Structures are given as structure tokens and as C-alpha cells.
């Protein structure tokens, strides 16, 4: 299963920790490939960034939005989620561990506009795995 992780670039260190946990079969029992952005594309310009991200979204089956206090104001996260929805992808939101985000007010606008997509508090690896597996 291909996963795309949508997040605010300033959260990349915590997101990389999440990626590491996902890759560890002792923590998560998920066979997956992370297709999300791992490099700063800001020098390429908006159109090139959109094309690169859209290609990665289209290669993915599940989109996971990792939410911090900064995510709500990210110019890219809402766009990524809109593109994922338009492409018929499964979308889940998770508030990053130890982030004081109130639900739903602190979430990207996408989740308040489209209430069928759920946001979950950070939980145990088993809980997160179950949420992801349910979308398949």
C-alpha cells in the first residue's frame, strides 16, 4: 500500500520520526511505501511543486495528514487534501503527539469543510494501524 503523508514542512523532524515508526515492523504491522515529499522543493516554484506532489498523491492509496499547530495555516496541506479527495483517495488526519491542537478548530480547513474525513488524536501504534487498515 502506498501512503502519502501531508504535513507542514516545519514539522518534518516529527514527521520523519513517524516515518521511522511506520517502517519498523515491530511497531506497525503495515506493509507500505511512503510516497510523500521528503525534500524541500521550494526552489522549484509553485507549478513544479504542485506537479511533483500531485504525482505522489496519485501513486498513493491512503493520505495521512499529520497535524500540528502550524498545519492549519499551511498553504500546501489543504491543497494536497483537496487533490487527494478529487482523486478518490482515502484520507485520515492524526494530531501529532504532544501537539496542543483542539479538534476540529485547530485542524486544516479541509477537515471542517468535509466532515466525512476524520481526525484522530495521537494514540498507540495499534490504534493508528487500525485506523489506517479501516480505510483500505
Amino acid at each position: 500500500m502506498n501512503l502519502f503523508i501531508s504535513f507542514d514542512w516545519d514539522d518534518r523532524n516529527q514527521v520523519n520520526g513517524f516515518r521511522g515508526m511506520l517502517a519498523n515492523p515491530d511497531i506497525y504491522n503495515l506493509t507500505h511505501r511512503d510516497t510523500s515529499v521528503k525534500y524541500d522543493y521550494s526552489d522549484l516554484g509553485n507549478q513544479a511543486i504542485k506537479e511533483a506532489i500531485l504525482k505522489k498523491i496519485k501513486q498513493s492509496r491512503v493520505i495521512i495528514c499529520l497535524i500540528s499547530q502550524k498545519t492549519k495555516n499551511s498553504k500546501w496541506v489543504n491543497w494536497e487534501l483537496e487533490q487527494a479527495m478529487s482523486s478518490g483517495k482515502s484520507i485520515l488526519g492524526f494530531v501529532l503527539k504532544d501537539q496542543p491542537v483542539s479538534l476540529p478548530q485547530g485542524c486544516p480547513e479541509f477537515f471542517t469543510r468535509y466532515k466525512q474525513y476524520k481526525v484522530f488524536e495521537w494514540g498507540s501504534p495499534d490504534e493508528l494501524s487500525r485506523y489506517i487498515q479501516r480505510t483500505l
Side-chain angles (χ1 to χ4, degrees):
M1 160 187 52
N2 288 344
L3 296 175
F4 179 88
I5 302 171
S6 179
F7 61 96
D8 185 274
W9 187 250
D10 289 341
D11 295 324
R12 67 187 171 277
N13 290 334
Q14 196 169 3
V15 170
N16 286 337
F18 177 73
R19 286 178 171 136
M21 289 189 318
L22 277 179
N24 184 341
D26 293 333
I27 298 176
Y28 286 94
N29 187 22
L30 290 173
T31 303
H32 76 287
R33 185 173 143 253
D34 179 3
T35 63
S36 55
V37 175
K38 297 173 188 74
Y39 307 102
D40 185 356
Y41 291 143
S42 60
D43 292 342
L44 300 177
N46 283 350
Q47 190 56 39
I49 293 169
K50 285 181 176 183
E51 289 171 9
I53 291 172
L54 190 54
K55 180 179 177 184
K56 291 174 177 293
I57 289 171
K58 287 186 176 194
Q59 293 171 347
S60 301
R61 184 166 177 193
V62 176
I63 310 304
I64 296 174
C65 181
L66 296 180
I67 301 167
S68 73
Q69 290 179 305
K70 298 173 186 167
T71 312
K72 181 176 182 166
N73 297 317
S74 169
K75 75 176 192 173
W76 290 105
V77 169
N78 277 306
W79 181 83
E80 291 167 350
L81 296 173
E82 291 280 349
Q83 297 305 308
M85 183 183 72
S86 295
S87 298
K89 305 301 178 180
S90 296
I91 301 170
L92 293 171
F94 293 108
V95 176
L96 283 164
K97 187 176 181 181
D98 299 328
Q99 287 289 325
V101 174
S102 58
L103 300 177
Q105 309 88 300
C107 292
E109 182 183 329
F110 175 87
F111 289 106
T112 55
R113 195 173 333 128
Y114 303 106
K115 295 186 184 335
Q116 71 266 34
Y117 298 103
K118 303 296 181 204
V119 177
F120 302 96
E121 296 282 350
W122 192 264
S124 71
D126 287 340
E127 286 177 304
L128 297 177
S129 292
R130 275 196 305 275
Y131 292 137
I132 294 168
Q133 293 289 357
R134 280 188 213 153
T135 67
L136 302 176

